[in-house]
Coordinates of all heavy atoms in Angstrom, one line a residue:
M1078 N -29.0 -1.8 35.4 CA -28.4 -0.5 35.1 C -29.3 0.4 34.2 O -29.8 -0.2 33.3 CB -27.0 -0.7 34.4 CG -26.1 0.4 34.5 SD -24.6 0.0 33.6 CE -24.3 1.6 32.9
P1079 N -29.5 1.6 34.6 CA -30.4 2.4 33.7 C -29.9 2.7 32.4 O -28.6 2.9 32.2 CB -30.6 3.7 34.5 CG -29.5 3.7 35.5 CD -29.0 2.4 35.7
V1080 N -30.8 2.7 31.4 CA -30.4 2.9 30.0 C -31.3 3.9 29.5 O -32.5 3.9 29.8 CB -30.5 1.5 29.3 CG1 -30.5 1.7 27.8 CG2 -29.5 0.5 29.6
P1081 N -30.8 4.9 28.6 CA -31.7 5.9 28.0 C -32.8 5.3 27.2 O -32.7 4.3 26.4 CB -30.8 6.8 27.1 CG -29.4 6.3 27.6 CD -29.4 5.0 28.2
K1082 N -34.0 5.8 27.4 CA -35.2 5.3 26.7 C -35.2 5.7 25.2 O -35.5 4.9 24.4 CB -36.4 5.8 27.3 CG -37.7 5.1 26.9 CD -38.9 5.5 27.7 CE -40.0 4.7 27.4 NZ -41.1 5.0 28.3
R1083 N -34.6 6.8 24.9 CA -34.6 7.4 23.6 C -33.3 7.9 23.2 O -32.5 8.4 24.0 CB -35.6 8.5 23.4 CG -37.0 8.2 23.0 CD -37.9 9.4 23.0 NE -38.9 9.2 24.1 CZ -39.9 8.4 24.0 NH1 -40.1 7.6 23.0 NH2 -40.8 8.4 25.0
R1084 N -32.9 7.7 22.0 CA -31.7 8.3 21.4 C -31.7 9.7 21.5 O -32.8 10.4 21.1 CB -31.5 7.8 20.0 CG -30.4 8.3 19.2 CD -30.6 7.9 17.7 NE -29.5 8.4 17.0 CZ -28.5 7.6 16.3 NH1 -28.7 6.4 16.3 NH2 -27.6 8.2 15.7
T1085 N -30.6 10.5 21.9 CA -30.6 11.9 21.9 C -30.7 12.4 20.5 O -29.9 12.0 19.7 CB -29.4 12.4 22.6 OG1 -29.4 11.8 23.9 CG2 -29.4 13.9 22.8
S1086 N -31.6 13.4 20.2 CA -31.8 13.9 18.8 C -30.6 14.7 18.5 O -29.8 15.2 19.4 CB -33.0 14.7 18.7 OG -32.9 15.9 19.6
K1087 N -30.3 14.9 17.2 CA -29.2 15.8 16.7 C -29.3 17.2 17.3 O -28.3 17.8 17.7 CB -29.2 15.9 15.2 CG -28.8 14.6 14.5 CD -29.0 14.9 13.0 CE -29.1 13.6 12.2 NZ -29.4 13.8 10.7
R1088 N -30.6 17.7 17.4 CA -30.8 19.0 17.8 C -30.4 19.1 19.4 O -29.6 20.1 19.7 CB -32.3 19.3 17.7 CG -32.7 20.7 18.1 CD -34.1 20.9 17.9 NE -34.6 22.2 18.4 CZ -35.8 22.7 18.3 NH1 -36.6 22.0 17.5 NH2 -36.2 23.9 18.7
V1089 N -30.8 18.2 20.1 CA -30.5 18.3 21.5 C -29.0 18.1 21.8 O -28.4 18.8 22.6 CB -31.4 17.3 22.3 CG1 -30.9 17.1 23.8 CG2 -32.8 17.6 22.4
K1090 N -28.4 17.2 21.1 CA -27.0 16.9 21.1 C -26.2 18.2 20.8 O -25.3 18.6 21.5 CB -26.6 15.7 20.2 CG -25.1 15.5 20.1 CD -24.8 14.5 19.0 CE -24.9 15.1 17.7 NZ -24.7 14.1 16.6
N1091 N -26.6 18.8 19.6 CA -25.9 20.1 19.2 C -26.2 21.2 20.2 O -25.2 22.1 20.4 CB -26.3 20.4 17.8 CG -25.8 19.4 16.8 OD1 -24.8 18.8 17.1 ND2 -26.4 19.3 15.7
Q1092 N -27.3 21.3 20.8 CA -27.6 22.4 21.8 C -26.8 22.2 23.0 O -26.2 23.2 23.5 CB -29.1 22.3 22.2 CG -30.0 22.9 21.2 CD -31.5 22.7 21.6 OE1 -31.9 21.9 22.3 NE2 -32.4 23.6 20.9
R1093 N -26.5 20.9 23.4 CA -25.7 20.7 24.6 C -24.2 21.0 24.3 O -23.5 21.6 25.1 CB -25.8 19.2 24.9 CG -25.0 18.8 26.2 CD -25.1 17.4 26.5 NE -24.6 16.4 25.5 CZ -25.4 15.5 24.9 NH1 -26.6 15.3 25.2 NH2 -24.9 14.7 24.0
R1094 N -23.8 20.7 23.1 CA -22.5 21.0 22.7 C -22.2 22.5 22.3 O -21.0 22.8 21.9 CB -22.0 20.1 21.6 CG -22.0 18.6 22.0 CD -21.6 17.6 20.9 NE -21.6 16.3 21.5 CZ -21.4 15.3 20.7 NH1 -21.2 15.3 19.4 NH2 -21.5 14.1 21.3
A1095 N -23.2 23.3 22.2 CA -23.1 24.7 21.8 C -22.1 25.4 22.8 O -21.5 26.4 22.4 CB -24.4 25.4 21.8
H1096 N -22.0 25.0 24.0 CA -21.1 25.6 24.9 C -19.7 24.9 25.1 O -19.0 25.3 26.1 CB -21.8 25.7 26.3 CG -23.1 26.5 26.3 ND1 -23.2 27.9 26.2 CD2 -24.4 26.1 26.1 CE1 -24.5 28.2 26.1 NE2 -25.2 27.1 26.1
D1097 N -19.5 23.9 24.3 CA -18.2 23.2 24.5 C -17.0 23.7 23.8 O -15.9 23.1 23.9 CB -18.5 21.7 24.0 CG -19.4 20.9 24.9 OD1 -19.8 21.5 26.0 OD2 -19.7 19.8 24.7
A1098 N -17.1 24.8 23.1 CA -16.0 25.3 22.3 C -14.8 25.7 23.2 O -15.1 26.3 24.3 CB -16.4 26.5 21.4
L1099 N -13.6 25.5 22.8 CA -12.4 25.8 23.5 C -12.2 27.3 23.2 O -12.3 27.7 22.1 CB -11.2 24.9 23.2 CG -11.4 23.4 23.5 CD1 -10.2 22.7 23.0 CD2 -11.4 23.3 25.0
T1100 N -11.6 28.0 24.2 CA -11.1 29.3 24.0 C -9.6 29.4 24.1 O -9.0 28.6 24.9 CB -11.8 30.3 25.0 OG1 -11.4 29.8 26.3 CG2 -13.2 30.3 24.9
T1101 N -9.0 30.3 23.4 CA -7.5 30.4 23.4 C -7.2 31.1 24.7 O -7.9 32.0 25.2 CB -7.1 31.2 22.2 OG1 -7.7 32.5 22.2 CG2 -7.2 30.5 20.9
P1102 N -6.0 30.8 25.3 CA -5.7 31.4 26.6 C -5.3 32.9 26.4 O -4.8 33.2 25.3 CB -4.4 30.6 27.0 CG -3.9 29.9 25.9 CD -5.1 29.6 25.0
Q1103 N -5.5 33.7 27.4 CA -5.2 35.1 27.3 C -3.8 35.3 27.7 O -3.3 35.1 28.7 CB -6.1 35.9 28.3 CG -7.6 35.7 28.0 CD -7.9 36.3 26.7 OE1 -7.7 37.4 26.3 NE2 -8.6 35.4 25.9
W1104 N -3.0 35.7 26.7 CA -1.6 35.9 26.9 C -1.4 37.4 27.3 O -2.1 38.3 26.9 CB -0.8 35.7 25.6 CG -0.8 34.3 25.1 CD1 -1.8 33.6 24.3 CD2 0.2 33.3 25.4 NE1 -1.5 32.3 24.2 CE2 -0.3 32.1 24.8 CE3 1.3 33.2 26.1 CZ2 0.5 30.8 24.9 CZ3 2.1 32.1 26.2 CH2 1.6 30.9 25.6
S1105 N -0.3 37.6 28.0 CA 0.1 38.9 28.4 C 1.7 39.0 28.3 O 2.3 37.9 28.1 CB -0.3 39.3 29.8 OG 0.3 38.5 30.7
S1106 N 2.3 40.1 28.4 CA 3.7 40.2 28.2 C 4.3 40.4 29.6 O 3.7 41.0 30.5 CB 4.1 41.4 27.2 OG 3.5 42.6 27.8
C1107 N 5.5 39.8 29.7 CA 6.3 39.9 31.0 C 6.7 41.3 31.2 O 7.2 41.9 30.3 CB 7.5 38.9 31.0 SG 8.6 39.1 32.3
A1108 N 6.4 41.8 32.4 CA 6.9 43.2 32.7 C 8.4 43.3 32.9 O 8.9 44.4 32.7 CB 6.2 43.7 34.0
H1109 N 9.0 42.3 33.1 CA 10.5 42.3 33.3 C 11.2 42.2 32.0 O 12.2 42.9 31.6 CB 11.0 41.2 34.2 CG 12.4 41.3 34.7 ND1 13.3 40.3 34.3 CD2 13.0 42.1 35.4 CE1 14.4 40.6 34.7 NE2 14.3 41.8 35.5
C1110 N 10.9 41.2 31.1 CA 11.6 41.0 29.8 C 10.8 41.2 28.6 O 11.3 41.2 27.4 CB 12.3 39.6 29.9 SG 11.2 38.3 29.7
G1111 N 9.5 41.3 28.7 CA 8.6 41.5 27.6 C 8.2 40.2 26.9 O 7.5 40.3 25.8
E1112 N 8.6 39.1 27.3 CA 8.3 37.8 26.7 C 6.7 37.6 26.9 O 6.2 38.0 28.0 CB 9.0 36.7 27.4 CG 8.8 35.3 26.7 CD 9.8 35.1 25.5 OE1 10.4 36.1 25.1 OE2 9.9 34.0 25.1
T1113 N 6.0 36.9 26.0 CA 4.6 36.6 26.2 C 4.5 35.5 27.2 O 5.2 34.5 27.2 CB 4.0 36.1 24.9 OG1 4.7 35.1 24.3 CG2 3.8 37.3 24.0
V1114 N 3.6 35.8 28.2 CA 3.5 34.8 29.3 C 2.0 34.5 29.5 O 1.2 35.3 29.2 CB 4.1 35.2 30.6 CG1 5.7 35.2 30.5 CG2 3.7 36.7 31.0
L1115 N 1.7 33.3 30.2 CA 0.4 33.0 30.6 C 0.1 33.7 31.8 O 1.0 33.8 32.7 CB 0.2 31.5 30.7 CG 0.1 30.7 29.5 CD1 0.3 29.2 29.7 CD2 -1.1 31.0 28.7
P1116 N -1.1 34.2 32.1 CA -1.4 34.9 33.4 C -1.3 34.0 34.6 O -1.6 32.8 34.5 CB -2.9 35.4 33.2 CG -3.4 34.6 32.1 CD -2.2 34.2 31.3
H1117 N -0.9 34.6 35.7 CA -0.8 33.9 37.0 C 0.3 32.8 37.0 O 0.2 31.9 37.8 CB -2.1 33.3 37.5 CG -3.2 34.3 37.5 ND1 -4.3 34.3 36.7 CD2 -3.3 35.4 38.2 CE1 -5.1 35.3 36.9 NE2 -4.5 36.1 37.8
R1118 N 1.3 33.0 36.1 CA 2.4 32.1 36.1 C 3.7 32.8 35.9 O 3.7 33.9 35.2 CB 2.3 31.1 34.9 CG 1.7 29.8 35.4 CD 1.0 29.1 34.2 NE -0.3 29.7 34.0 CZ -1.4 29.0 33.7 NH1 -1.3 27.7 33.4 NH2 -2.5 29.6 33.5
A1119 N 4.7 32.4 36.5 CA 6.0 33.0 36.4 C 6.5 32.9 35.0 O 6.3 32.0 34.3 CB 7.0 32.4 37.3
C1120 N 7.3 34.0 34.6 CA 7.8 34.0 33.3 C 8.8 32.9 33.1 O 9.6 32.6 33.9 CB 8.5 35.3 33.0 SG 9.3 35.5 31.4
S1121 N 8.7 32.1 31.9 CA 9.6 31.0 31.7 C 10.9 31.3 31.2 O 11.9 30.6 31.2 CB 8.9 30.0 30.6 OG 8.7 30.8 29.5
K1122 N 11.0 32.7 30.8 CA 12.3 33.1 30.3 C 13.2 33.7 31.4 O 14.3 33.4 31.6 CB 12.1 34.1 29.2 CG 13.3 34.4 28.3 CD 13.1 35.5 27.2 CE 14.3 35.8 26.5 NZ 14.2 37.0 25.7
C1123 N 12.6 34.7 32.2 CA 13.4 35.3 33.2 C 13.0 34.9 34.6 O 13.7 35.2 35.6 CB 13.3 36.8 33.1 SG 11.7 37.5 33.4
G1124 N 11.9 34.1 34.7 CA 11.5 33.6 36.1 C 10.9 34.7 37.0 O 10.6 34.4 38.2
Y1125 N 10.5 35.8 36.4 CA 9.9 36.8 37.3 C 8.5 36.7 37.4 O 7.7 36.3 36.4 CB 10.3 38.2 36.7 CG 11.6 38.8 37.4 CD1 12.7 38.2 37.2 CD2 11.4 40.0 38.1 CE1 13.9 38.7 37.7 CE2 12.6 40.5 38.7 CZ 13.8 39.9 38.5 OH 15.0 40.4 39.1
Y1126 N 7.9 37.0 38.5 CA 6.4 37.0 38.7 C 6.1 38.1 39.6 O 6.7 38.2 40.7 CB 5.9 35.7 39.2 CG 4.4 35.7 39.4 CD1 3.5 35.7 38.2 CD2 3.8 35.6 40.6 CE1 2.2 35.8 38.3 CE2 2.4 35.6 40.7 CZ 1.6 35.7 39.6 OH 0.3 35.8 39.8
R1127 N 5.2 39.0 39.2 CA 4.9 40.2 40.1 C 6.1 41.0 40.5 O 6.1 41.4 41.7 CB 4.0 39.8 41.3 CG 2.6 39.3 40.8 CD 1.7 39.0 42.0 NE 1.4 40.2 42.8 CZ 0.3 40.4 43.5 NH1 -0.7 39.5 43.4 NH2 0.3 41.4 44.2
G1128 N 7.0 41.2 39.6 CA 8.0 42.1 39.8 C 9.2 41.7 40.7 O 10.1 42.4 41.1
R1129 N 9.2 40.4 40.9 CA 10.3 39.7 41.7 C 10.7 38.4 41.1 O 9.8 37.7 40.5 CB 10.1 39.7 43.2 CG 9.0 38.8 43.6 CD 8.8 38.7 45.1 NE 7.9 37.6 45.4 CZ 8.5 36.4 45.7 NH1 9.6 36.1 45.6 NH2 7.5 35.5 46.0
A1130 N 11.9 37.9 41.3 CA 12.3 36.7 40.8 C 11.7 35.5 41.6 O 11.9 35.4 42.8 CB 13.9 36.5 40.9
A1131 N 10.7 34.8 40.9 CA 10.1 33.7 41.6 C 10.7 32.4 41.2 O 10.6 31.4 42.1 CB 8.6 33.6 41.1
L1132 N 11.4 32.3 40.1 CA 12.1 31.0 39.8 C 13.6 31.4 39.4 O 13.9 32.4 39.1 CB 11.5 30.4 38.4 CG 10.0 30.0 38.5 CD1 9.6 29.7 37.1 CD2 9.9 28.8 39.4
K1133 N 14.4 30.4 39.7 CA 15.8 30.5 39.3 C 16.0 29.9 37.9 O 15.9 28.7 37.8 CB 16.8 29.9 40.4 CG 18.0 30.6 40.4 CD 18.8 30.1 41.7 CE 19.9 31.1 42.0 NZ 20.2 31.3 43.4
I1134 N 16.2 30.7 36.9 CA 16.5 30.2 35.6 C 18.0 30.0 35.3 O 18.8 31.0 35.5 CB 15.9 31.1 34.5 CG1 14.3 31.4 34.8 CG2 16.1 30.6 33.1 CD1 13.4 30.2 34.6
A1135 N 18.4 28.9 35.0 CA 19.8 28.7 34.6 C 20.4 29.4 33.4 O 19.6 29.6 32.4 CB 20.1 27.2 34.4
E1136 N 21.4 30.1 33.6 CA 22.0 30.9 32.5 C 22.7 29.9 31.5 O 23.3 29.0 31.9 CB 23.1 31.8 33.0 CG 22.7 32.7 34.2 CD 21.7 33.9 33.7 OE1 22.1 34.5 32.6 OE2 20.7 34.1 34.4
S1137 N 22.4 30.2 30.2 CA 22.9 29.4 29.2 C 24.0 30.1 28.3 O 24.0 31.3 28.2 CB 21.8 28.8 28.3 OG 21.2 29.8 27.7
Ligands
ZN699 ZN1 10.2 37.7 31.8

C-alpha cells in the first residue's frame, strides 16, 4: 500500500485548509407568512413554496 514519503508541512496543510471554511446558509423570508426560510425549500410554518401550498401543515 502506498505511503506518503514526507510529512505534509504546516504551510501546505494550512494552504489546503484555507478553502475549508463553512459558510452560513443564505436565509430569505417567506412571501406568504414572512417566516425566515432556507432557499429552495417549502416554508416550515405555512408550507408554501413559490406562491402555492406545497405542504399540508397540521393546524394546532
Ligand atoms: Zn410561510
Side-chain angles (χ1 to χ4, degrees):
M1078 201 182 143
V1080 165
K1082 193 167 187 176
R1083 270 174 247 287
R1084 179 189 176 116
T1085 304
S1086 67
K1087 292 177 198 170
R1088 181 180 175 173
V1089 169
K1090 177 187 71 183
N1091 290 334
Q1092 280 174 342
R1093 181 177 63 239
R1094 293 182 182 173
H1096 300 281
D1097 289 357
L1099 295 172
T1100 56
T1101 54
Q1103 300 298 306
W1104 293 85
S1105 60
S1106 57
C1107 174
H1109 188 249
C1110 70
E1112 189 84 352
T1113 50
V1114 287
L1115 288 168
H1117 308 113
R1118 261 154 283 211
C1120 177
S1121 58
K1122 196 183 177 193
C1123 67
Y1125 267 64
Y1126 182 66
R1127 291 185 59 150
R1129 63 178 195 90
L1132 297 172
K1133 209 165 198 151
I1134 305 292
E1136 305 288 316
S1137 59

